[in-house]
Amino acid sequence: MRVKKFFKIALGLAIALLALIMVCNFVISTAAEGKTFTSVETTPKNRVGLILGTSKKLVTGLPNHYYSFRVKATIALYKAKKISYVLVSGDNGTSYYNEPKTIKKDLIAGGIPSEKIFLDYAGFRTLDSMVRAKEVFGLDKVTVISQQFHNERAIYLAEQKGLTAIGFNAEDVTGNSGLKVHLREYLARVKVFIDILLNTQPKFYGEQIEIK
């Protein structure tokens, strides 16, 4: 009897968790409807594009296509004059790992002038990137540059924090690596609501930086 009761409780918890994941995913996806774009031509102009950082290489040492696709998308937007400045937000946790600096180097190699690129070294999480874009860099609106699933979450977080955002969807990644990231995204979307409920703040703020 105890085993049967245990399985009933476990099944109930699993169903509740699945329902929670589905609701969180639905709310975020619905909130971002009509706010992400896959074509450069149809993307509205914004003064600043915010590229969300990731590592250039995977732990295996192979190239990270999420990284290269985001860099490529940012360069395309700039060359099409859909953005005038780029804010690079990423992790700078150690002296050996610096996402913003690495991305800036590749953006410059792609034709974006150095003086048009600003770095946010404390974008440890998407929440940090969105809040700091508004509070530290003084932005009222921004074009977020990442893959669509990430853009949707970023847009929802931005709007909860008073920042108007649209997203330009970089090419997505397929295969096993892409599947793993998409599965993790479901849990990340649940975490969004936990952070909002707890009023989670960025790890760092710092002095304001004007983008001009």
Side-chain angles (χ1 to χ4, degrees):
M1 292 296 293
R2 289 182 178 179
V3 174
K4 188 175 181 180
K5 184 178 181 180
F6 171 79
F7 278 110
K8 282 185 177 180
I9 293 173
L11 179 60
L13 290 174
I15 292 173
L17 177 59
L18 180 60
L20 176 64
I21 291 173
M22 292 177 65
V23 169
C24 292
N25 183 69
F26 175 78
V27 170
I28 288 177
S29 295
T30 301
E33 282 185 3
K35 298 175 183 176
T36 67
F37 302 84
T38 56
S39 167
V40 173
E41 290 73 19
T42 60
T43 302
K45 290 183 179 181
N46 259 333
R47 194 170 70 92
V48 180
L50 168 58
I51 176 173
L52 297 175
T54 186
S55 59
K56 186 170 183 175
K57 293 186 177 181
L58 303 172
V59 292
T60 59
L62 294 173
N64 180 2
H65 294 303
Y66 285 106
Y67 174 97
S68 58
F69 291 155
R70 292 179 198 180
V71 169
K72 181 180 178 181
T74 305
I75 293 169
L77 280 183
Y78 181 82
K79 288 186 174 181
K81 298 183 179 180
K82 295 293 183 173
I83 54 175
S84 300
Y85 297 91
V86 178
L87 175 59
V88 183
S89 185
D91 190 345
N92 179 34
T94 72
S95 57
Y96 303 101
Y97 185 77
N98 191 320
E99 289 177 356
K101 186 177 179 180
T102 303
I103 293 172
K104 179 179 180 179
K105 182 179 179 181
D106 287 335
L107 292 177
I108 292 173
I112 301 180
S114 175
E115 64 271 17
K116 298 292 184 177
I117 303 172
F118 290 76
L119 304 182
D120 175 9
Y121 292 109
F124 300 109
R125 299 174 52 198
T126 306
L127 181 146
D128 296 51
S129 298
M130 296 301 106
V131 174
R132 287 176 53 81
K134 178 177 176 59
E135 301 298 335
V136 176
F137 292 89
L139 301 181
D140 294 319
K141 57 182 181 179
V142 70
T143 298
V144 183
I145 306 163
S146 187
Q147 280 67 32
Q148 182 173 352
F149 67 87
H150 195 187
N151 282 339
E152 290 176 348
R153 175 159 51 93
I155 288 169
Y156 186 83
L157 279 166
E159 293 184 345
Q160 292 298 309
K161 301 299 181 179
L163 175 65
T164 300
I166 60 171
F168 181 68
N169 302 327
E171 185 178 345
D172 208 344
V173 177
T174 58
N176 289 335
S177 58
L179 178 60
K180 291 177 182 178
V181 171
H182 279 271
L183 289 175
R184 287 199 300 268
E185 176 66 17
Y186 286 108
L187 297 180
R189 293 188 175 198
V190 174
K191 186 67 164 56
V192 165
F193 294 93
I194 295 174
D195 285 333
I196 292 173
L197 180 64
L198 298 178
N199 193 29
T200 303
Q201 298 298 313
K203 190 173 182 180
F204 297 109
Y205 276 96
E207 296 182 3
Q208 289 193 331
I209 301 171
E210 185 177 0
I211 296 180
K212 65 177 183 177

